C-alpha cells in the first residue's frame, strides 16, 4: 500500500530525524527559489495574474515576493510559484527534470506568512513536501514525462499538499485525503512549453495542493490509495511505473540532496559549453580571437543548434549565443538572454567565431573548448562536470551572486544582503515574516 | 487543426443560429441543474468548502444557490458545480456518461450574476460551452474514460472556458489561449468515485475553466492547438481518439439534445427496473404481494446486486432496495435513498420479496417485472425504454415535480413555483439576478 506507507513515513519523520546536510540543502533551495521568484516578479505574466486580485476582490493574506501587493492564500501560492519558474532558472532534480521548490515553497511561504510556525516546522514541511513529490516523480519517470506530462506540475501538487499538511498538523487520515485530492487535480501538459502557461504549472500545482490540504483539514473525504489504485494516479498518468521507488530507503536516502541549482539561465545541456567558454577568458580577449571551437555531445548540439537567434528565448537554445556571452561577459544569467543583448552588434559579430562540433565520446555534462588566436596560438580547456551539477555544485558565493543579480534591481543591495543573511540562518529566525518583509512592503524599490 | 476550427465554429455561432429545440433543451438542463444544486446545498461537503470563504477572506460576488452566503467568482463556481453533482442526480449525455451542466452552468451563473448579460447571451454561452465539452468527450470516449479519467471533469473545463469566453466576448486568439489553459488543467480521476471528491470534480472543472478564461482575457499565452498537438490533451489523456468528432456536423447536429435527465437518484442502469416496479402498483398493494420477479440485462445485476445495503449510498447500487421503494413509494428520488429509509422496517421486510433474474436478450434500458400475489394471481409489465432516456424523456410535469421535491424544503413552494416560471421563460428575463434571488438571500428558509 504505497500511499498509506508514504503517509506513515512522512508523519513519522520529525525535524530531528532529518540530517543537517539535508536541512542545509533545503535552505539553499529556498534561497535559490526566492531569488528567481523575486527576479521575475515584474514579468508581464505576473502582472496579468495579479490583476485577478481585483477581479476576485481577493483577501490580503500573503505577499507577492518582490512586490508590495498582498493577495489571498491560494492566489499567492499561484503567483509565487509561477514567478519562480518564469526564467527557467530554478532548481532541478536531475534524475527526473523535476523542479521541486516551485510547487512546495509557495505553500510554505503562504501558510508561514499568514499563520505562525517555527522556522524548523517550515523547514520540515518544505523538506518532506519535496521528498514526497520527488519520490513520486522517481516512480513514474520517464514514461510519464515522455507521454506528455510536465512532471513538476503533476507530482508537484502532492508535494504542496504534504507541506501544507505538515504545517496544519494532519493525522494519517487527513494526509491520505489531502493526497487523494492533490492527485485528482494532477495536471499540466508539456505542450504548453514555450508559452506563459509553462511557469503557470508549478504555481497551479502549489495552489491545488494547498486547496487539497485546506479541504482535508475540514474532513473532506477522498481516495486513500491515490497512487496505487487500479485507476489511481500512476495507472492513469504513466504507461510504466515502479511504485516501490516511493518509499524505498526512506530516511536514509534523500532525494532533495540531488537537487541542483542552475548557474546559467538556459537549459542544463548548454552549461558545460558555457563553463568552457568562460574559462577561455583566462587566455584570450575578444579582439585577439580568431575562432572558438566547442566540442560537445551530439545531443547537446541537436537541442541548441540555433545559429541566428532573434530573441532571448531563442538564444537559450543557441550554443552560438551562449558561448559568445560566456566568453564576452563571463556569465550567462537572465541579463545575458535579454532580447537587446541577443541583438547587440558585438555579440552578433562574435557569434560567427563560435564553431561547435560534436564528439559522441563526450558525456552530456562534458565539453571541450579550444581558442585559436589571431597570432596562431591555441589554448584548450576541458570541462569534466558542468558547474551546478551534483559532482560540481555551485559554491555558496556563486549562489549568492546569482541571488543578488536577480534581486538587487528589485530590492536593492542592502535588502538583498540582509535576505541572504537571514536565509542562511533560517532555522534561527523567529518568524517567516522577518524574511518576507525584506523583499516586500516598503522594501521594494519599484 | 481541430482547436482553431472549433474556435471558429464557436465564435461564428450566433444565438439566432441555434435551433429553438436546442434552446428549449438548454432551459430544461439549467432547470434540472439548479434543482439538484439547490437540493444538495446543505450537504456536509458543501459546508466544508464554504468554510474556505473565511479561510481565504473571499470577496462576495456570487451567490451559493439555495443559501444566503456569497463568495468570489472562482469559489462560487467550485461550490455550485460541486453541489449539483452530490446526489448523482444531474443530467447525463448518455453517449459519453458526461454530465454537461455541472462544469458549465456555474460559470454562466457566476459571470451572469456578477456582471450584466442578456438572457440570450447567457443561453448562448451555456449551449456552446456544453457543445464544446460534449464534442471533445465524443472524441476521446471510451478509451479516456476506461483509462481512469472522470470525463465530466476533464473535458468539462473546456466547456467552462468556452462559456466564459463567450460572455467575455473573446476573439479567436483569446479563445484559443483559454482552451489551452483549460486543457492543461484537465484532471479528475475515477478512483475518487464513492468519496466527496467525485462531486468536487465538476466544480473544479468549472473553476479551472473560468480561471483559464479570466487569464486569457488579459493576454496570457498558451498552446493554440491543445486538442491535437503531439503532446496535447488527446494524445496525453486518451489511448485512442478521433478528433474529427469535435467539429463534424457543427451547427446541424447538437449534442445537447442528447442530454438526458434522471427521474431517479441512482445509476441509470437501475431506472427501467424501477419504472417496472412503479408500474406494478396498478395491480397490487404491498400486503398482497408474495414476490416480485424483476428481469434485467446481466450487466445491470452485476452493478446493482447489493442484497443488504446499509446506507443510502449503498442502496443506490441495490436493485433490491430500488425495486422495493419503487413499489412502496412510487418514486426513487433522493428521499428514498436516505439512510433512515434504507433501514426502515417495512422496506427491509419487502426487500426479500424482490427476486431479480437476468436475461441477456434484454437491453440495458429494458426491464420486465412480474408480481405474484398471495392469491396466486400474476401480473406482468415490460419497460421498453426507461423514463428519462432519449426515447422516453421525462415530461415537463415530471421534471417540475423533481425540481420541487429538491427545492421546496429549502426555499418553500412559492419560490420553487416562481423559479420554475422564470426558468421556463428564461430568454424573456431582464437579468439573471431575478432568478438567482429567488433561491438565495432572504428567500432561503433554512
Amino acid at each position: 500500500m504505497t500511499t498509506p506507507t508514504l503517509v506513515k513515513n512522512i508523519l513519522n519523520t520529525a525535524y530531528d530525524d532529518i540530517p543537517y546536510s539535508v536541512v542545509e540543502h533545503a535552505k539553499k533551495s529556498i534561497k535559490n527559489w526566492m531569488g528567481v521568484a523575486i527576479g521575475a516578479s515584474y514579468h508581464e505574466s505576473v502582472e496579468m495574474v495579479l490583476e485577478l486580485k481585483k477581479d476576485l476582490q481577493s483577501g490580503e493574506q500573503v505577499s507577492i515576493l518582490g512586490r508590495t501587493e498582498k493577495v489571498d492564500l491560494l492566489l499567492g501560492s499561484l503567483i509565487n510559484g509561477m514567478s519562480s519558474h518564469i526564467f527557467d532558472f530554478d532548481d532541478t532534480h536531475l534524475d527526473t527534470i523535476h523542479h521541486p521548490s516551485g510547487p512546495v515553497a509557495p505553500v510554505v511561504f503562504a501558510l508561514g506568512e499568514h499563520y505562525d510556525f517555527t522556522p524548523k516546522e517550515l523547514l520540515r514541511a518544505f523538506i518532506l513536501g519535496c521528498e514526497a513529490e520527488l519520490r513520486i516523480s522517481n516512480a513514474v519517470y520517464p514514461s510519464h514525462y515522455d507521454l506528455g506530462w510536465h512532471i513538476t506540475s503533476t507530482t508537484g501538487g502532492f508535494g504542496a499538499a504534504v507541506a501544507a499538511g505538515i504545517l496544519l498538523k494532519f493525522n494519517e487520515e487527513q494526509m491520505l485525503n489531502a493526497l487523494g485530492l492533490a492527485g485528482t487535480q494532477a495536471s499540466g501538459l508539456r505542450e504548453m512549453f514555450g508559452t506563459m502557461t509553462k511557469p503557470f504549472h508549478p504555481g497551479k500545482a502549489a495552489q491545488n495542493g494547498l486547496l487539497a490540504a485546506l479541504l482535508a483539514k475540514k474532513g473532506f473525504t477522498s481516495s486513500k490509495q491515490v497512487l496505487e489504485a487500479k485507476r489511481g494516479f500512476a495507472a492513469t498518468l504513466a504507461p510504466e511505473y515502479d511504485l516501490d521507488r516511493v518509499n524505498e530507503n526512506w530516511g536514509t536516502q534523500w532525494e532533495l540532496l540531488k537537487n541542483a541549482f542552475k548557474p546559467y539561465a538556459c537549459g542544463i545541456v548548454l552549461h558545460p559549453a558555457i563553463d568552457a567558454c568562460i574559462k577561455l577568458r583566462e587566455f584570450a580577449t575578444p579582439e585577439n580571437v580568431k575562432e572558438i571551437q566547442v566540442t560537445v555531445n551530439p545531443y547537446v548540439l541537436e537541442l541548441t543548434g540555433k545559429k541566428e537567434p532573434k530573441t532571448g528565448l531563442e538564444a537559450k537554445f543557441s550554443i552560438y549565443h551562449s558561448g559568445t556571452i560566456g566568453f564576452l561577459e563571463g556569465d550567462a544569467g537572465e541579463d545575458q538572454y535579454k532580447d537587446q543583448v541577443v541583438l547587440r552588434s558585438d555579440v552578433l559579430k562574435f557569434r560567427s567565431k563560435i564553431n561547435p562540433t560534436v564528439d559522441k565520446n563526450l558525456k552530456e555534462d562534458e565539453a571541450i573548448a579550444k581558442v585559436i588566436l589571431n597570432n596562431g596560438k591555441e589554448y584548450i580547456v576541458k570541462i569534466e562536470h558542468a558547474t551546478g551539477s551534483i559532482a560540481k555544485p555551485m559554491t555558496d558565493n556563486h549562489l549568492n551572486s546569482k541571488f543578488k543579480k536577480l534581486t538587487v534591481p528589485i530590492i536593492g543591495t542592502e535588502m538583498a544582503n540582509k535576505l541572504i543573511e537571514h536565509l542562511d540562518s533560517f532555522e534561527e529566525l523567529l518568524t517567516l515574516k522577518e524574511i518576507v518583509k525584506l523583499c516586500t512592503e516598503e522594501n521594494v524599490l519599484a
Side-chain angles (χ1 to χ4, degrees), chain A residues 365-381:
Chain A
D365 67 340
E366 291 180 326
I368 294 171
K370 180 162 82 174
V371 61
I372 304 165
L373 302 187
N374 289 324
N375 65 9
K377 279 195 179 169
E378 295 183 3
Y379 298 93
I380 192 162
V381 296

Side-chain angles (χ1 to χ4, degrees), chain A residues 25 29 91-94 98-101 126 134 255-261 388 390:
Chain A
H25 210 76
S29 301
D91 51 354
T92 311
H93 179 257
L94 297 172
H98 183 116
H99 308 287
S101 296
F126 176 79
L134 292 175
E255 290 304 310
L256 190 57
L257 291 177
K258 299 191 209 153
N259 191 26
F261 309 113
I390 295 301

